[in-house]
């Protein structure tokens, strides 16, 4: 979701009835309907983020797509990883980080053009990733929490206090919440 010049642009990733679908729309789309966009992949898509110039979409079977024309066209990017799925992607102002299945973390420092896999120290699925004030946090299965303070290059496990799956994480500037 983004607002530019008073117009809200929204994306919905659809993989309920067909894989690889991207639906795009502005503020009116919420009321009048979404426009399908061709993603170029039959794979399921799971996460989307925007950095002010580029949209990045991630999905299953190592899919990473990027758009620099506000989502009208999408380019497949090589993740350097095969056979695993990305679930979420986020951006911090200089680095994209994607997280997913089997502890997969991959980073890009060139606006999503090339991606490098990082070892996080788990083979369990990661469900979400977020950034705030020089800190990346990834959460996942069995209460997993991993933290990086060097822009996603190294990750340290932290105790969450639960063995339940953590599906989402966010920060308001001071407080981190995972559910």
């Amino acid at each position: 979701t983004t607002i530019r010049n008073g117009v809200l642009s929204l994306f919905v990733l659809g993989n309920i009835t067909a894989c690889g679908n991207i639906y795009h729309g502005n503020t009116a789309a919420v009321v009048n309907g979404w426009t399908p966009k061709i993603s170029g992949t039959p794979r399921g898509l799971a996460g989307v983020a925007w950095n002010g110039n580029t949209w990045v979409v991630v999905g299953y079977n190592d899919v990473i797509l990027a758009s620099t024309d506000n989502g009208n066209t999408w380019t497949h990017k090589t993740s350097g990883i095969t056979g695993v799925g990305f679930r979420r992607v986020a951006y911090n102002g200089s680095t994209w980080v994607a997280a997913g299945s089997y502890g997969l973390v991959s980073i890009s420092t060139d606006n999503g053009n090339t991606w490098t896999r990082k070892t996080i120290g788990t083979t369990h699925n990661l469900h979400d990733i977020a950034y705030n004030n020089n800190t990346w946090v990834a959460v996942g299965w069995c209460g997993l929490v991993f933290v990086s303070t060097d822009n996603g290059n190294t990750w340290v496990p932290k105790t969450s206090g639960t063995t339940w799956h953590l599906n989402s994480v966010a920060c308001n500037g001071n407080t981190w919440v995972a559910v």
Side-chain angles (χ1 to χ4, degrees), residues 2-156:
T2 184
I3 300 174
R4 184 181 291 173
N5 297 329
V7 176
L8 178 67
S9 290
L10 304 168
F11 285 92
V12 174
L13 304 177
N15 60 358
I16 296 170
T17 58
C19 292
N21 294 330
I22 296 175
Y23 300 96
H24 174 271
N26 59 22
T27 307
V30 174
V31 175
N32 299 321
W34 300 80
T35 303
K37 298 294 179 177
I38 297 171
S39 70
T41 183
R43 309 288 187 212
L45 304 175
V48 61
W50 184 71
N51 73 359
N53 298 310
T54 303
W55 287 97
V56 171
V57 169
V58 297
Y60 304 109
N61 290 48
D62 65 287
V63 169
I64 299 177
L65 306 171
S67 173
T68 57
D69 64 359
N70 203 28
N72 289 303
T73 59
W74 295 88
T75 304
H76 182 80
K77 302 297 180 179
T78 303
S79 68
I81 302 161
T82 57
V84 295
F86 292 105
R87 294 175 184 260
R88 296 293 180 263
V89 62
Y91 183 75
N92 73 353
S94 66
T95 303
W96 291 94
V97 176
S101 303
Y102 307 109
L104 170 64
V105 171
S106 193
I107 69 170
S108 173
T109 57
D110 63 358
N111 203 33
N113 288 308
T114 58
W115 292 80
T116 304
R117 184 177 189 160
K118 298 297 177 178
T119 301
I120 194 167
T122 186
T123 56
H124 291 294
N125 292 346
L126 299 172
H127 293 170
D128 200 10
I129 190 155
Y131 176 85
N132 184 66
N133 196 27
N134 198 42
T135 302
W136 285 98
V137 175
V139 299
W141 278 13
C142 304
L144 289 177
V145 175
F146 284 87
V147 174
S148 173
T149 57
D150 64 357
N151 223 16
N153 287 296
T154 58
W155 295 82
V156 177

